[in-house]
């Protein structure tokens, strides 16, 4: 049966129609992993909430905009994938999953996060890319075990100073935002290993050689006039990445001279 018909059936809440979309959910999978991605679901089948030994639940690429409160019965759940759905708010039940360590929320319509998110004490990986955030969600700064944060392709202009509370954070991904300067708070986070600020609006980069833990800096597609100076062994991805600092300075000077000459020709 085609996708169009499946889409129509997804609107019908009867048990029989739900069984058609997701199959028979009478028994929990032996590997304690359930993948219901790309099933055109508009609501989570109640049978899923009975699998209290479930460890991984994939609900990506559906039409979900809410989840039942009974989801919190999945107290052993460690991974929850809700990306590519229609969520405008994070369902409250998600914040009551005590073992959750990986949460995928990318490609939704989120613009804020509830304060209850800080109850996820075990969360170490959070994906929030391609949503509607114009302000950094400060509750993220309360996730003390967070190691990886994806916030690319939102509309962020700056980062809060409270971000330094995340002493376990090792990688932060901020591509495709509205940053006009390299976030000063990141200069205080010496434990960061990966920083991605690709596709922003940063004109000048500060010296990053003091970031002792840094392994990779991605800064391509910015209107910058310099590359960030980094310590030996740090990989740079962007303009002048393969140049030494002296070569970069020469190239930058040449670029400025070329621009001045072009301006003079225009004046003439």
């Amino acid at each position: 049966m085609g996708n169009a018909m499946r889409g129509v059936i997804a609107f019908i809440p009867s048990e029989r129609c739900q069984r058609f979309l997701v199959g028979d959910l009478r028994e929990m999978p032996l590997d304690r992993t359930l993948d219901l991605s790309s099933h055109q679901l508009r609501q989570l089948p109640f049978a899923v909430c009975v699998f209290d030994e479930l460890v991984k639940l994939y609900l990506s690429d559906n039409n979900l905009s809410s989840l039942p409160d009974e989801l919190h019965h999945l107290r052993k759940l460690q991974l929850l994938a809700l990306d590519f759905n229609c969520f405008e708010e994070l369902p409250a039940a998600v914040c009551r999953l005590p073992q959750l360590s990986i949460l995928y929320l990318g490609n939704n319509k989120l613009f804020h996060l509830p304060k209850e998110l800080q109850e996820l004490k075990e969360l170490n990986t959070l994906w929030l890319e391609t949503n509607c955030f114009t302000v950094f969600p400060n509750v993220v700064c309360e996730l003390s075990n967070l190691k990886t944060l994806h916030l690319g392709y939102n509309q962020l202009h700056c980062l809060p100073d409270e971000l330094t509370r995340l002493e376990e954070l090792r990688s932060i991904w901020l591509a495709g935002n509205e940053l006009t300067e390299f976030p000063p708070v990141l200069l205080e986070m010496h434990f960061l290993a990966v920083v991605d600020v690709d596709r922003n609006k940063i004109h000048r980069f500060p010296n990053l050689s003091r970031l002792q833990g840094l392994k990779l800096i991605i800064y391509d597609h910015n209107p910058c006039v310099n590359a960030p100076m980094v310590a030996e062994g740090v990989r740079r991805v962007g303009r002048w990445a393969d140049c030494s600092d002296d070569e970069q300075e020469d190239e930058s000077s040449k670029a400025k001279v070329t621009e001045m000459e072009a301006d003079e020709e225009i004046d003439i």
Side-chain angles (χ1 to χ4, degrees):
M1 189 174 292
N3 288 333
M5 183 60 70
R6 293 178 66 91
V8 172
I9 292 176
F11 279 98
I12 305 173
S14 73
E15 181 179 347
R16 182 178 179 181
C17 291
Q18 292 299 307
R19 191 183 304 121
F20 170 80
L21 292 174
V22 302
D24 195 347
L25 295 176
R26 294 180 183 179
E27 296 183 4
M28 187 183 71
L30 294 177
D31 61 359
R32 298 196 293 175
T33 298
L34 183 59
D35 189 351
L36 297 179
S37 300
S38 305
H39 280 67
Q40 299 193 24
L41 295 176
R42 294 183 178 274
Q43 59 183 15
L44 182 67
F46 179 76
V48 174
C49 302
V50 178
F51 299 153
D52 55 4
E53 295 292 321
L54 204 62
V55 173
K56 298 179 181 179
L57 177 58
Y58 295 90
L59 297 171
S60 308
D61 191 25
N62 281 293
N63 295 305
L64 298 169
S65 59
S66 63
L67 293 173
D69 289 339
E70 289 79 7
L71 184 75
H72 80 272
H73 293 316
L74 307 182
R75 300 189 63 79
K76 295 186 179 181
L77 199 66
Q78 298 177 18
L79 182 152
L80 178 59
L82 299 174
D83 48 325
F84 292 94
N85 275 285
C86 305
F87 292 101
E88 296 183 5
E89 295 185 353
L90 182 64
V94 174
C95 301
R96 298 185 309 191
L97 299 170
Q99 298 300 316
L100 197 64
S101 59
I102 302 175
L103 179 57
Y104 295 95
L105 291 170
N107 290 272
N108 278 284
K109 301 175 182 179
L110 299 169
F111 59 92
H112 72 93
L113 294 174
K115 63 180 182 180
E116 289 78 11
L117 186 71
Q118 64 185 316
E119 299 301 322
L120 299 179
K121 304 298 184 183
E122 300 299 321
L123 198 65
N124 61 54
T125 302
L126 179 59
W127 292 69
L128 294 168
E129 80 285 0
T130 317
N131 274 284
C132 303
F133 294 101
T134 58
V135 176
F136 187 93
N138 275 353
V139 67
V140 171
C141 300
E142 306 300 326
L143 300 172
S144 58
N145 280 319
L146 201 63
K147 292 180 171 59
T148 300
L149 176 59
H150 289 263
L151 258 168
Y153 299 96
N154 282 280
Q155 301 170 46
L156 301 178
H157 291 80
C158 61
L159 302 183
D161 293 340
E162 291 80 4
L163 197 65
T164 55
R165 297 177 187 171
L166 301 182
E167 297 182 357
E168 298 296 321
L169 194 66
R170 294 297 177 267
S171 63
I172 185 166
W173 307 81
L174 300 164
N177 277 284
E178 301 290 330
L179 302 173
T180 57
E181 66 171 351
F182 187 83
V185 65
L186 298 184
L187 297 174
E188 306 299 323
M189 302 176 71
H190 300 280
F191 36 78
L192 281 173
V194 178
V195 175
D196 177 12
V197 289
D198 186 23
R199 298 182 185 278
N200 276 275
K201 300 178 180 180
I202 301 173
H203 289 273
R204 178 171 293 277
F205 282 92
N207 188 334
L208 304 183
S209 59
R210 292 186 303 163
L211 297 181
Q212 301 171 354
L214 193 62
K215 303 297 182 186
L216 172 65
I217 171 71
I218 305 172
Y219 62 93
D220 209 6
H221 303 99
N222 278 280
C224 53
V225 298
N226 71 316
M229 294 181 60
V230 294
E232 185 177 355
V234 177
R235 183 185 176 192
R236 299 186 298 191
V237 177
R239 190 180 182 188
W240 301 300
D242 297 326
C243 297
S244 67
D245 293 330
D246 291 338
E247 291 173 333
Q248 175 196 322
E249 187 174 346
D250 290 341
E251 290 292 331
S252 182
S253 298
K254 291 177 182 178
K256 290 180 180 178
V257 170
T258 302
E259 289 177 3
M260 291 174 63
E261 291 175 347
D263 290 340
E264 289 177 358
E265 290 180 4
I266 291 173
D267 290 340
I268 293 173

